[in-house]
Amino acid sequence: MMRQYILKRLLLFIPTLLGLSVLVFLIIHMVPGDPVEIMLYPKASPEAIERLRAQLGLDQPVLVQYWMWLSRAARFDLGTSVTTLEPVMTQLARRVPSTVELSLMGMILGVALGLPLGVISAINKGRLPDYLSSIVALTGVSMPVFWLGLMLIWAFSVSLGWLPISGRSGLESQFVPASGFFLAESLLRGEYAAFWDALRHIILPAACIATWPLALVTRVTRSSMLEVLNEDYVRTARAKGLPYLAVVMKHALRNALIPVVTVTGLAFGSLLSGAVLTETVFAWPGVGSLIVRAIYSRDYPMIQGAVFLVAFMFVSVNLIVDILYVAIDPRIRYD
């Protein structure tokens, strides 16, 4: 049964991707104005405009354009950037590790803080810690990311001088990871100075991007814990005279973690796709900042390829979460 469920989810993944590709393609084509004229404006001649339009396939009917783009994408070819003249996939492959590393750090930070906050809030329902936790969660959800990023830079970089303002490593650093993951690879290779340098650079953007998952995990953990604490087996454990803290940590928290795991996976997918503002504020060389730069330079193939890749990553993470969810919780129906 489990195998059939996974197979069904994998088969649903294909039409979902096709729907995404149509959506991305239509959104890019519904933007007002001729993209070629915008890219070449104002100095290009009509011949140059026509030449680039033919090069990008924009002189073809829309359905033909979509089929050409889709058939190339199926072969991992998302076209060539009109500003750098480099394949879009090559540039994206360089940027993806940066975004994944930043999102992972933000997620780890959000869960590490949100989980204990949610537990403390639940076991102190209606008291001061509960109210303080709610304020933290509400602040995390409502605070604009770009404003928080600027405040963090002002406080910890400009005023205190503790942490660097931008980038993934210092100018003096000679460490170049083959995988693109500065933290993991420097640690595995024993390059501790490079690891410390990369860690100092990622703290502020990770703290900035962690606010939303922190708030989400806090609220879900609180809600789930309150539900579990009222279950019969928890009351029975307390009636047997077990210490309250042991009951909370060993009996209640373990069962309350199932919905937390689910929202954590979904939040990670959202972080991957929503790091645009954070990466821009901290000049973080990830996919988000690449999209912003492509929009500024009107790099049509790059925008289309990058947006599709981000959507693909989001759907893939959701698929993994769906499969993990039924593996973790046998009560979930496979159909």
Side-chain angles (χ1 to χ4, degrees):
M1 187 69 81
M2 179 71 176
R3 190 176 300 172
Q4 290 178 357
Y5 173 80
I6 294 175
L7 183 61
K8 189 185 296 182
R9 291 293 293 117
L10 289 173
L11 289 176
L12 280 175
F13 185 68
I14 297 171
T16 306
L17 270 187
L18 285 174
L20 267 176
S21 67
V22 172
L23 195 62
V24 171
F25 186 82
L26 289 179
I27 288 174
I28 300 296
H29 280 72
M30 287 170 68
V31 174
D34 187 333
V36 176
E37 290 184 5
I38 293 173
M39 280 187 280
L40 298 180
Y41 183 81
K43 299 178 180 177
S45 62
E47 293 76 17
I49 291 175
E50 287 305 318
R51 191 162 52 246
L52 182 57
R53 184 175 284 117
Q55 179 186 332
L56 296 176
L58 296 177
D59 56 343
Q60 301 292 325
V62 174
L63 284 177
V64 176
Q65 289 181 42
Y66 172 71
W67 175 250
M68 290 167 58
W69 179 76
L70 186 64
S71 57
R72 285 200 309 266
R75 301 191 301 270
F76 303 100
D77 177 10
L78 295 175
T80 303
S81 165
V82 295
T83 55
T84 64
L85 302 181
E86 201 176 10
V88 171
M89 280 298 291
T90 302
Q91 295 193 57
L92 290 175
R94 272 202 305 267
R95 298 288 189 128
V96 166
S98 302
T99 298
V100 171
E101 189 170 66
L102 176 61
S103 301
L104 273 174
M105 282 297 292
M107 200 70 245
I108 291 170
L109 200 57
V111 173
L113 295 175
L115 202 58
L117 271 179
V119 174
I120 292 171
S121 177
I123 62 179
N124 291 283
K125 182 186 177 186
R127 289 183 282 186
L128 182 61
D130 187 21
Y131 297 133
L132 292 177
S133 169
S134 299
I135 291 172
V136 170
L138 186 62
T139 305
V141 168
S142 56
M143 188 178 296
V145 172
F146 67 91
W147 182 85
L148 176 62
L150 293 176
M151 290 301 101
L152 289 174
I153 290 174
W154 173 78
F156 295 99
S157 299
V158 178
S159 299
L160 298 173
W162 289 352
L163 296 168
I165 294 176
S166 61
R168 298 187 72 188
S169 62
L171 294 175
E172 69 283 357
S173 176
Q174 302 295 319
F175 180 74
V176 180
S179 64
F181 293 94
F182 275 71
L183 288 173
E185 189 169 329
S186 59
L187 197 60
L188 290 174
R189 287 166 55 179
E191 298 276 0
Y192 299 117
F195 174 77
W196 175 241
D197 182 49
L199 185 64
R200 291 180 71 248
H201 279 80
I202 203 173
I203 287 176
L204 287 186
C208 184
I209 206 173
T211 52
W212 183 71
L214 186 153
L216 184 65
V217 170
T218 300
R219 299 313 294 170
V220 172
T221 303
R222 179 186 183 276
S223 173
S224 182
M225 280 292 292
L226 286 175
E227 186 178 335
V228 172
L229 285 173
N230 289 321
E231 294 287 341
D232 290 340
Y233 66 90
V234 173
R235 285 199 292 267
T236 303
R238 294 192 63 184
K240 287 181 178 178
L242 289 176
Y244 183 61
L245 188 60
V247 173
V248 170
M249 301 305 293
K250 292 180 63 177
H251 297 274
L253 182 59
R254 183 179 300 176
N255 291 293
L257 282 179
I258 293 172
V260 178
V261 170
T262 308
V263 297
T264 300
L266 296 175
F268 181 64
S270 299
L271 286 188
L272 285 172
S273 58
V276 175
L277 288 177
T278 304
E279 291 185 1
T280 304
V281 170
F282 291 94
W284 189 262
V287 176
S289 58
L290 182 66
I291 291 175
V292 173
R293 198 182 67 183
I295 292 173
Y296 278 131
S297 58
R298 310 293 195 271
D299 193 338
Y300 180 79
M302 179 59 73
I303 298 171
Q304 190 164 265
V307 171
F308 180 70
L309 175 70
V310 168
F312 172 78
M313 291 164 70
F314 182 79
V315 174
S316 301
V317 170
N318 283 342
L319 171 67
I320 294 170
V321 170
D322 279 353
I323 293 174
L324 285 179
Y325 196 22
V326 293
I328 293 171
D329 189 355
R331 294 173 298 180
I332 303 298
R333 289 174 59 84
Y334 293 129
D335 54 356

